[in-house]
Amino acid sequence: FELAAGLGYECSDGKEIEIDTEEINVGSVKRVNGLNLGLCDSDVSVASSRWITYLIVDAKQFVLNGTNSPQNIEVSDSIYSVRFSDVTENKVSMSVGGTSGEVEINECYEVGNLAVMFVELQQEGENKSVKILAGKTKVRFDSKEKISEIFESNSKKYLVAVETASDADAVVSVGKCDSNEFVEIVESVIADENSTNETILQNYTNSTEIEVNLTGADFKIIELCNEI
């Protein structure tokens, strides 16, 4: 709850946000509070005290068997035809629904309508298989810019926040509401029209009568000549 409040959100029904936190390693998927998240990249700059991570939302792990052999995979209740052709230990050529692209090892790419990470080449004799992460979308989180975002998966809304990260993993929190709706916390400032407002005037040498309108009330400030 404290984390959610710090991010500026609360549940629309006034109840506390239900939050779960997990550590996710690069190249792996975890189900956090009902949402599948894959960590496809994480980078830390000690010099600038900054981390940048990429999460795949609605992520799953798949193994594609056989070069040029189409396989149907299910992501977010949708079916995608996926196959790979040329592959080395560092790069794989893939197609998703007829859209082709190259994916480098341990990197996140958009191919067709999927976010994809090439995790590992598996080989037994002449048979090659490719281990990948695939999900609905790839999202960038930056400790200096954006550490949280709201996503919808299977008609359920989730508040996702990256709390901290290293080059190998990230600590991710996911919040959800019974009302399925988050609202921003707005801090209101109430002005007291009867409060005293003090104005300091300096370095005037002429006798001046000044009329000032503050919080709806008229004040007359009479300054004596030559007082500094």
Side-chain angles (χ1 to χ4, degrees):
F1 175 72
E2 294 177 357
L3 172 66
L7 296 173
Y9 291 97
E10 61 185 3
C11 293
S12 60
D13 57 4
K15 296 181 180 179
E16 291 188 359
I17 296 177
E18 178 189 336
I19 292 180
D20 189 18
T21 302
E22 292 283 354
E23 182 178 298
I24 307 175
N25 295 324
V26 173
S28 66
V29 176
K30 278 195 177 179
R31 190 169 183 81
V32 189
N33 213 4
L35 181 66
N36 282 358
L37 295 172
L39 182 62
C40 62
D41 194 15
S42 185
D43 183 61
V44 176
S45 172
V46 177
S48 60
S49 300
R50 182 179 192 174
W51 52 254
I52 297 174
T53 66
Y54 288 89
L55 288 177
I56 296 180
V57 180
D58 278 341
K60 289 184 179 180
Q61 197 169 79
F62 300 95
V63 175
L64 305 179
N65 298 306
T67 305
N68 290 317
S69 298
Q71 289 181 233
N72 290 331
I73 65 174
E74 182 177 353
V75 176
S76 301
D77 293 329
S78 297
I79 303 297
Y80 299 85
S81 177
V82 181
R83 67 178 178 84
F84 72 93
S85 52
D86 296 333
V87 60
T88 67
E89 291 184 353
N90 300 315
K91 184 169 57 177
V92 61
S93 296
M94 296 182 55
S95 71
V96 178
T99 301
S100 299
E102 289 189 341
V103 182
E104 295 183 4
I105 189 77
N106 294 330
E107 296 289 342
C108 304
Y109 290 84
E110 300 281 350
V111 182
N113 294 322
L114 283 182
V116 179
M117 177 189 183
F118 175 27
V119 178
E120 182 184 17
L121 168 64
Q122 301 174 345
Q123 186 168 0
E124 293 184 6
E126 297 297 321
N127 298 320
K128 295 181 179 180
S129 299
V130 172
K131 184 178 180 180
I132 66 169
L133 297 187
K136 182 167 64 175
T137 185
K138 176 186 74 173
V139 187
R140 181 180 189 268
F141 293 87
D142 187 326
S143 60
K144 297 291 187 180
E145 297 177 6
K146 180 188 73 173
I147 66 167
S148 67
E149 190 166 329
I150 294 174
F151 301 97
E152 185 170 337
S153 174
N154 296 323
S155 301
K156 183 70 176 178
K157 292 183 179 179
Y158 299 89
L159 173 63
V160 178
V162 179
E163 296 191 36
T164 187
S166 70
D167 290 334
D169 54 38
V171 177
V172 182
S173 292
V174 176
K176 60 185 179 182
C177 293
D178 288 339
S179 64
N180 201 32
E181 199 67 50
F182 298 94
V183 294
E184 290 191 58
I185 299 173
V186 179
E187 294 185 5
S188 59
V189 179
I190 302 175
D192 184 358
E193 293 191 357
N194 295 319
S195 63
T196 302
N197 293 271
E198 184 175 314
T199 304
I200 301 175
L201 303 175
Q202 295 179 336
N203 297 329
Y204 284 90
T205 57
N206 296 321
S207 178
T208 308
E209 184 177 277
I210 305 173
E211 185 170 316
V212 183
N213 190 328
L214 293 176
T215 64
D218 290 332
F219 294 84
K220 289 186 177 180
I221 304 172
I222 300 176
E223 181 189 19
L224 297 180
C225 174
N226 297 325
E227 284 193 2
I228 300 177

